């Protein structure tokens, strides 16, 4: 075994083999894979190994398409061919109109990634899969590229080609310790000796947290027992001239695919079971859990009803093995939070089907610092400190029970709630709040009219539409109050804080005490990395002169890592998080200043406290820091309050607001109002796939200033011309908003993709944002939107249709 290498990948399943292979494809050949047993001796060896194009985001569709293309290439490689049944086709069934509408949306989204799905009626489903009944069936989604692959052959082929390129694979070599040095390199201790590496990758499947513990981290990954069985030969299959399509059934929670002349049937039973919660036997290798078919009898009955042929054949073998889940069901692929030169590719519950793509995106991140797609949907930093073992297990059970049931817009499932709350959460609940979830935080979505109010889950505007409109109207005409918890708040101190931020941000950075600015951070490729509010707070009895860096709640770990990793040696900069210590109360509307003046000493007039000011004060007797900023387009204040004083500040604001028509509003109203103002949402509209110029942020870029992260790359990209252009759109529809990912069409050509959509109540307009081919970005250009399979007219409009001059914010 060599003693020095660039990358050590730990784990020899699909995750590790794919990562190793793709590192060599990206040009890094001094790389090593270490496996404690034999390759594919974990979950990989017993995988059902289905390979589909279906995904609920464009990133997931893209990485699955890469997997399929790679697997076809390996299948046809004469040196090391892989058994791959490609193109059998697959159907996802549905028995509700809402599910069918969802499939039409996913078909529209996939078109933008070059993938064509078909939406079928029940009769066509049965024609393509002659073993199924159409009882209680409306239709399904057809993926013509669906198929299955041999797990062991796939991993061995990836390892073969990686070795051929120069990589090395060490089998029967257990990692026993990991030590990180001051220069951020690692020593990997193994049973066969030590090896030093620049970078370590955790690809350890269900043993992920054994290796995580060696790094001093815990990953939100839990394992579930998963059972499938293989039937004896089925006459209809024997006699068929073609292979049966794959089937995934959210109605009865099972899937099936052809296995020789029988079927492989897998179950996602409600009475499911976690595995390995209290540790894993070191000898559990190429092993299975005891069979427990009694546990899946309810699901099996549904499968019998859907496929009567199953009642006439026996079972050849039963497999019950562990598969891994994360809190939201999507994998964790990318940098490990809080660690340098450490990555993971874990929680791959559908590892064989999409592992080729996951390894591809991870290798790009390791080698280039970023992938070709925005990978936030699989980023390990999208979960933060609340993700313990117990919460992960609860969410894993819930995801397992709903394996083929996608999340609807505004659907927040109940397991693991509430994970994060403030002192106001029960107060708001008593006032009728319906809560959404943001990075685990319970945040008000809107105020329900009655306790038993439950809108229909679907893609159309729901029964809360007029309620949200009422909240917006009150903010527009009177004053509203909203709690914004979990907002990422980093305090930056030190003499070099301004020069540090000037290097991190691509535009002008305000340095004046008492003033607030907005800035954008780029990655090394000149693409948008983050958005931050920068508030300069003068020295006081509450602390030294400091900067508050504020960003999206979900960015808590992401932004901390990015900032800390860019502090230069000797630079006098300190960063600490206040995210979980304080909460924002947003006061918005034309009467906001009057309410603030009524409960806080000092002069709050426009002259004394203009837009983009910051001041420490008291709300009643609660200490607070007020920022004159607005996400709603109305006169507004962000009131930052320590959680210990939050209820006191709340009471003072409610009392002061009584005579000014103060009412509560929630996140849905905020999202509607920000769309009317042209304000962007991180990881919906602000993506690492686009430059700030392509994102319409020209006014926030100062190429003439000194050097900043990504400047050289941005100048090169800008000189080459814009690949896409961010635009605002008017949608000619009143029944539904444009959903993120939907395709914009000119004839049969996809020319753009929706990033956000919502109804603008103040302008009476269905508004959407999109990234579009530049030749179609001129104001007044008319196109079509593939909205759930229907072509809907849209028009490019000027941004900020409500108040383009910001006159109400400045009032």
């Amino acid at each position: 075994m060599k003693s020095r290498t660039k990358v050590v990948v730990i784990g020899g399943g699909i995750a590790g083999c794919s990562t190793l292979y793709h590192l060599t494809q990206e040009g890094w050949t001094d790389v090593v894979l270490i496996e404690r047993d034999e390759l594919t001796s974990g979950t990989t060896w017993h995988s059902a190994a289905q390979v589909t194009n279906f995904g609920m985001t464009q990133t997931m569709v893209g990485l699955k398409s890469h997997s399929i293309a790679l697997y076809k290439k390996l299948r046809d490689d004469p040196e090391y061919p892989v058994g791959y049944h490609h193109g059998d086709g697959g159907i996802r069934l549905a028995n509700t109109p809402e599910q069918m509408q969802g499939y039409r949306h996913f078909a529209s989204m996939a078109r933008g990634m070059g993938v064509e799905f078909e939406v079928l009626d029940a009769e066509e489903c049965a024609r393509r899969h002659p073993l199924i009944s159409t009882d209680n069936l409306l239709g399904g989604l057809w993926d013509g590229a669906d198929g299955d692959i041999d797990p062991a052959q796939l991993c061995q082929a990836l390892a073969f080609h990686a070795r051929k390129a120069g990589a090395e694979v060490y089998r029967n070599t257990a990692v026993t310790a990991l030590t990180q040095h001051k220069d951020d390199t690692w020593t990997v201790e193994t049973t066969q000796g030590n090896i030093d590496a620049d970078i370590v990758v955790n690809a350890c499947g269900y043993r992920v947290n054994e290796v995580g513990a060696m790094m001093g981290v815990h990953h939100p990954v839990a394992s579930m027992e998963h059972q499938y069985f293989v039937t004896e030969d089925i006459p209809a299959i024997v006699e068929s001239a073609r292979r049966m399509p794959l089937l995934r059934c959210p109605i009865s929670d099972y899937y099936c695919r052809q296995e020789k002349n029988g079927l492989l049937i897998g179950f996602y039973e409600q009475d499911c079971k976690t595995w390995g919660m209290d540790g894993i036997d070191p000898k559990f290798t190429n092993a299975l859990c005891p069979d427990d078919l009694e546990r899946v009898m309810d699901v099996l009955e549904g499968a019998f009803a859907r496929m009567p042929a199953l009642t006439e054949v026996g079972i050849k073998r039963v497999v019950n093995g562990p598969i891994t889940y994360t809190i939201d069901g999507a994998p964790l692929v990318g940098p490990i939070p809080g660690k340098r030169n450490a990555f993971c590719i874990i929680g791959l519950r559908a590892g064989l089907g999409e592992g080729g793509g996951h390894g591809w995106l991870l290798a790009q991140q390791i080698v280039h610092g970023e992938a070709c797609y925005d990978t936030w949907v699989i980023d390990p930093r999208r979960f933060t400190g609340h993700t313990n073992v117990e919460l992960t297990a609860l969410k894993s059970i819930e995801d397992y029970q709903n394996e083929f049931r996608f999340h609807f817009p505004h659907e927040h499932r109940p397991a693991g709630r509430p994970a994060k709350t403030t002192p106001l959460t029960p107060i708001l609940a008593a006032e009728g709040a319906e809560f959404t979830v943001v990075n685990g935080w319970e945040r008000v979505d809107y105020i329900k009219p009655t306790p038993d109010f439950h809108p229909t889950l679907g893609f159309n505007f729901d029964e809360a539409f007029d309620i949200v409109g009422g909240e917006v109207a009150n903010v527009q005409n009177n004053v509203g109050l909203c709690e914004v918890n979990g907002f990422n708040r980093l305090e930056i101190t030190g003499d070099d804080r301004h020069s540090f931020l000037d290097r991190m941000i691509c535009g002008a950075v305000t340095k004046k005490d008492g003033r607030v600015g907005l800035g954008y951070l780029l990655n090394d490729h000149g693409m948008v990395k983050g958005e931050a509010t920068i508030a300069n707070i003068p020295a006081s009895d509450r602390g030294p002169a400091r900067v508050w860096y504020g960003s999206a709640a979900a960015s808590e770990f992401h932004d901390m890592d990015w900032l800390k990793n860019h502090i230069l040696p000797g630079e006098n900069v300190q960063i600490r998080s206040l995210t979980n210590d304080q909460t924002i109360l947003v006061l918005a509307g034309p009467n906001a200043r009057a309410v603030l003046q009524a409960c806080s000493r000092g002069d709050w007039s426009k002259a004394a406290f203009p837009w983009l000011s910051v001041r420490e004060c008291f709300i009643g007797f609660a200490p607070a820091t007020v920022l004159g900023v607005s996400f709603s387009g109305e006169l507004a204040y962000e009131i930052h309050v320590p959680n210990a004083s939050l209820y006191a500040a709340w009471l003072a604001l409610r009392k002061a607001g009584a005579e000014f028509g103060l009412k509560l509003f929630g996140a849905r109203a905020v999202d509607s109002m920000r769309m009317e103002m042209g304000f962007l949402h991180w990881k919906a509209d602000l993506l690492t796939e686009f430059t700030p110029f392509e994102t319409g942020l020209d006014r926030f870029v100062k190429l003439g200033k000194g050097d900043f992260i990504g400047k050289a790359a941005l100048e090169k990209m800008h000189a080459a011309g814009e690949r896409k252009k961010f635009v605002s759109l008017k949608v000619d529809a009143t029944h539904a908003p444009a959903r993120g990912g939907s395709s914009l069409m000119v004839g049969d050509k996809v020319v753009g993709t929706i990033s956000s959509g919502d109804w603008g109540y103040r302008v009476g307009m269905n508004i959407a944002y999109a990234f579009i081919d530049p030749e179609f970005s001129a104001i007044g250009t008319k196109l079509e939107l593939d909205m759930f399979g229907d072509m809907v007219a849209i028009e490019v409009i000027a941004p900020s249709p409500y108040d383009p001059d910001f006159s109400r914010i400045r009032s």
Side-chain angles (χ1 to χ4, degrees), residues 567-609:
I567 298 175
L568 298 176
E571 200 166 26
N572 185 5
V573 173
Q574 299 83 41
I575 305 175
R576 71 181 183 117
S577 176
L578 302 176
T579 299
N580 298 304
D581 301 331
Q582 302 211 15
T583 295
I584 298 173
L585 299 175
V586 172
L587 191 65
N591 292 334
R593 178 178 288 114
V595 175
L596 189 59
Q597 188 69 70
C599 64
S600 181
R601 288 185 296 116
D603 184 357
W604 293 99
S605 66
K606 179 179 178 180
F609 193 77

Side-chain angles (χ1 to χ4, degrees), residues 12-181:
I14 179 59
C17 291
S18 177
T19 301
L20 190 76
Y21 169 84
H22 283 98
L23 284 170
T24 65
Q25 295 294 299
E26 295 296 328
W28 283 16
T29 57
D30 181 16
V31 291
V32 163
L33 184 147
I34 297 176
E35 165 56 43
R36 71 192 296 274
D37 299 298
E38 293 288 346
L39 297 184
T40 74
S41 59
T43 294
T44 299
W45 80 271
H46 61 74
S47 170
Q50 301 169 95
V51 183
T52 175
N53 255 325
F54 179 79
M56 288 180 285
T57 66
Q58 288 195 320
T59 296
M60 294 303 292
V61 172
L63 68 86
K64 291 184 178 189
S65 294
H66 174 84
S67 296
I68 290 172
L70 171 63
Y71 298 170
K72 288 171 66 178
K73 177 182 174 182
L74 295 174
R75 176 198 63 187
D76 299 334
D77 183 358
E79 279 194 284
Y80 209 112
V82 173
Y84 178 27
H85 297 121
H86 171 261
D88 290 347
I91 310 173
R92 292 174 185 271
L93 302 180
N95 67 340
T96 70
E98 292 79 15
Q99 287 173 312
M100 292 295 292
Q101 187 182 35
Y103 288 160
R104 293 185 180 95
H105 167 65
F106 296 133
S108 172
M109 181 191 67
R111 292 180 79 174
M113 300 302 289
V115 172
E116 293 294 331
F117 292 146
E118 290 182 70
V119 179
L120 313 178
D121 61 23
E123 288 69 28
E124 183 61 19
C125 288
R127 192 189 71 78
R128 299 193 188 189
H129 199 308
L131 296 182
I132 69 169
S133 162
T134 58
D135 291 346
N136 188 31
L137 183 66
L138 282 184
L141 184 70
W142 173 263
D143 174 9
D146 218 333
D148 67 273
I149 196 164
D150 185 294
Q153 290 181 10
L154 171 60
C155 292
Q156 294 289 354
L158 291 168
F160 169 81
H161 289 288
R163 285 191 189 101
K164 189 176 176 181
E168 297 188 20
V169 176
Y170 305 133
R171 298 170 297 120
N172 300 303
T173 303
V175 173
T176 56
L178 293 168
T179 303
Q180 190 165 30
H181 306 290

